[in-house]
Amino acid sequence: MKELVIKNGLLIAPANGFRRTRKDILVKNGKIAAVKDVIDWEGPAVDASGCLVTPGFIDIHTHCYPGAFLGLAPDVLGLERGASTILDAGSTGADTYEDFRENYVKKSRTKVFTLLNVSKEGLLRGHELDAMEKLDEAALKATLEKYPDEIVGLKARASASVVGEMGLKPIKEAARIARETGKPLMVHVGNYPPALTEVLRLLGKGDVVTHAYHGKKGGILTEEGEIIPEAKEARERGVLFDVGHGVASFSLRVFEKALKKGFDTDLVSTDLHVENYEGPVYSLAAVVSKVVACGEPLEDAIHKCTYVPAHHYGLTDLGEIRVGCVADLNVMELVDCKEEVQDSIGDTIELSKKLVLKKTIYSRGEESEIFEQNP
C-alpha cells in the first residue's frame, strides 16, 4: 500500500525524543511523512492504542545464509521475528557471497546487509580460520569493492574451535584488513585461546565485540568480578560491545554484574541461527525482554537495536521515527507476566514484563506492508 496511518501509539525512539510519547504516524510512499499528536485520516490505519511503536528492529548478528551450516532463510530470522533489517554475521566469505546475494538477499522481504567473513569460505563447515590459506585477501577486498553499500563490515571468530593452532594470527590479519578497507570488524569471542585480553588489544574505533557477556572462562569479568582493564581500555578507544545471545554465548549473571559495574552493552543482538531460533533466543524482542529484566532501561535497549546499529553501520534512514526515514516500524505490547526464561548456559531469570510483537510495518521503495506477528 502507498499510505497508512499508525494511530495512538506510544512511540519509543530516544534519538528522536520519543520515550513512550503518544503520537500518530503517517506513512506515505514507503517513508514516514508526518509524526503528529493527531492525524485526521479515513484511509488504511493501524490502531496502536495501548501499544509501543518503535523503529523497525535491526538485528546485527544473525546467520541467514542457508548454504552455511547454521543458516536459515532471511525472512525466518528477520521479518517473521520482528526485525525488518538484519545483518548476516559472517556466514559468507568471498567465495560464497555472490550465491547469498543472488538467491537470498535479493529475494527476501527483510532488508539484509552483510558482515563478510574474512575466511573465503565463510561458515560452510566451521573451522574457517584454522589455516591461513583460507584467508584470500585479494578476493576479500575485491568483494568489498564490488558491493560497498551491501557489505557493511567484516566478521571473524576468535575461538579455539575456529582458529585451531593458528591462535591470534588470523585475528591480527582480520584487524589489519579492516583498518585498510575502512570497514568495522565484528569479532566473536568465546573459548580460549586466543585470550580475550589479546583480542581486545587488536581492536579499534568502530570494531564490535559480540558475545561480550558469554560467561565462559577468561571472559569480561576477572575472578573477583571486576571488569577486565583491557575491556575498559577498548571502550575508551571506541570499541563497541554487543550482547550476541546465541546458543552458548550470553550469561544473565555476567550481564547483571557488568551492569552493576557500569559496563553496559552498546548493542543488543540475537545471533539467531538454526540451533536457537526456537529457543532459547526466539527473537530480538525476547532478548530485549531479558536484558530489561537484568536492569537495562527499556528505552535504552530499544535504542541499541534501532538507532545505534543504523548509525554505526551507515544504514541510511533506518532506525528512527523521523520524517523522511524509511517506514519500518514495530507495534508491540509490553505485557505483565510471570515467566521464567533461560540464557544460553542454563541460568534463568523471571520476567515481570515482556515485549509481545503485534505487527511489523515494513517498506520497500514506495510500497509498505503490514506483517501480522504471531506471538
Side-chain angles (χ1 to χ4, degrees):
M1 64 187 75
K2 295 284 188 180
E3 297 180 333
L4 75 151
V5 166
I6 298 94
K7 297 286 291 182
N8 303 314
L10 299 175
L11 276 54
I12 297 183
N16 308 112
F18 301 130
R19 292 180 174 269
R20 308 192 203 198
T21 310
R22 189 178 300 279
K23 296 282 184 179
D24 292 352
I25 302 171
L26 171 64
V27 173
K28 188 172 183 179
N29 298 327
K31 301 284 188 179
I32 295 173
V35 182
K36 297 181 178 180
D37 291 342
V38 178
I39 296 174
D40 292 328
W41 187 254
E42 296 182 357
V46 171
D47 183 4
S49 299
C51 293
L52 305 177
V53 178
T54 73
F57 281 176
I58 300 171
D59 194 344
I60 68 165
H61 192 157
T62 72
H63 293 283
C64 60
Y65 174 46
F69 74 91
L70 291 174
L72 285 166
D75 287 337
V76 173
L77 302 185
L79 190 58
E80 291 178 17
R81 279 166 173 72
S84 48
T85 300
I86 61 177
L87 274 60
D88 181 86
S91 301
T92 64
D95 286 357
T96 54
Y97 179 71
E98 294 280 359
D99 177 57
F100 176 48
R101 181 177 184 270
E102 290 301 315
N103 293 307
Y104 299 98
V105 174
K106 292 172 73 173
K107 295 178 180 179
S108 71
R109 290 175 293 171
T110 307
K111 298 173 183 67
V112 182
F113 296 90
T114 297
L115 304 177
L116 193 68
N117 204 308
V118 295
S119 167
K120 63 183 179 181
E121 63 183 36
L123 298 182
L124 283 182
R125 57 187 66 86
H127 310 290
E128 69 273 10
L129 287 175
D130 62 358
M132 291 309 294
E133 55 263 30
K134 292 183 178 180
L135 202 164
D136 186 337
E137 183 175 342
L140 175 64
K141 288 182 174 178
T143 306
L144 294 176
E145 289 174 5
K146 189 174 182 180
Y147 302 109
D149 298 325
E150 298 170 43
I151 300 174
V152 296
L154 299 176
K155 173 74 183 296
R157 295 199 294 168
S159 181
S161 58
V162 177
V163 300
E165 299 298 318
M166 298 303 297
L168 201 62
K169 186 176 180 181
I171 310 306
K172 286 181 178 178
E173 289 298 293
R176 176 184 61 80
I177 293 169
R179 288 193 297 272
E180 290 179 2
T181 58
K183 295 288 187 181
L185 174 65
M186 175 187 279
V187 178
H188 155 126
V189 295
N191 294 319
Y192 170 89
L196 175 58
T197 52
E198 295 177 327
V199 172
L200 288 170
R201 293 189 188 106
L202 298 174
L203 305 182
K205 185 176 181 180
D207 293 334
V208 175
V209 176
T210 193
H211 309 317
Y213 308 91
H214 59 58
K216 300 171 185 176
K217 184 178 179 181
I220 201 168
L221 298 176
T222 67
E223 291 184 1
E224 295 75 30
E226 300 295 328
I227 304 296
I228 59 174
E230 291 82 0
K232 295 179 180 179
E233 293 163 3
R235 174 161 279 172
E236 289 174 1
R237 294 196 303 275
V239 176
L240 303 182
F241 291 78
D242 171 46
V243 168
H245 190 305
V247 74
S249 300
F250 179 61
S251 165
L252 292 161
R253 304 289 87 83
V254 169
F255 186 65
E256 285 177 323
K257 290 176 182 177
L259 276 180
K260 289 177 181 177
K261 295 294 180 180
F263 204 87
D264 197 355
T265 189
D266 297 298
L267 295 151
V268 179
S269 75
T270 61
D271 186 21
L272 274 170
H273 54 68
V274 70
E275 295 178 356
N276 64 38
Y277 78 114
E278 294 181 325
V281 179
Y282 297 109
S283 70
L284 191 48
V287 175
V288 167
S289 296
K290 290 180 187 181
V291 300
V292 169
C294 289
E296 180 86 13
L298 175 62
E299 287 82 359
D300 291 356
I302 297 296
H303 185 63
K304 292 171 183 180
C305 60
T306 55
Y307 176 81
V308 175
H311 181 73
H312 182 69
Y313 285 108
L315 310 182
T316 305
D317 290 336
L318 295 176
E320 299 185 60
I321 300 178
R322 173 174 55 80
V323 172
C325 282
V326 175
D328 286 352
L329 301 156
N330 266 345
V331 179
M332 300 176 288
E333 289 182 331
L334 183 64
V335 302
D336 294 330
C337 65
K338 189 176 182 180
E339 182 176 323
E340 192 174 79
V341 294
Q342 280 193 342
D343 61 13
S344 60
I345 60 175
D347 285 339
T348 62
I349 195 169
E350 186 173 276
L351 303 182
S352 60
K353 292 182 179 293
K354 67 176 180 178
L355 289 173
V356 177
L357 291 160
K358 305 299 287 185
K359 302 175 189 293
T360 298
I361 293 92
Y362 66 102
S363 303
R364 288 274 193 170
E366 295 188 351
E367 293 290 331
S368 299
E369 299 294 336
I370 302 171
F371 186 89
E372 299 285 348
Q373 297 289 347
N374 295 309

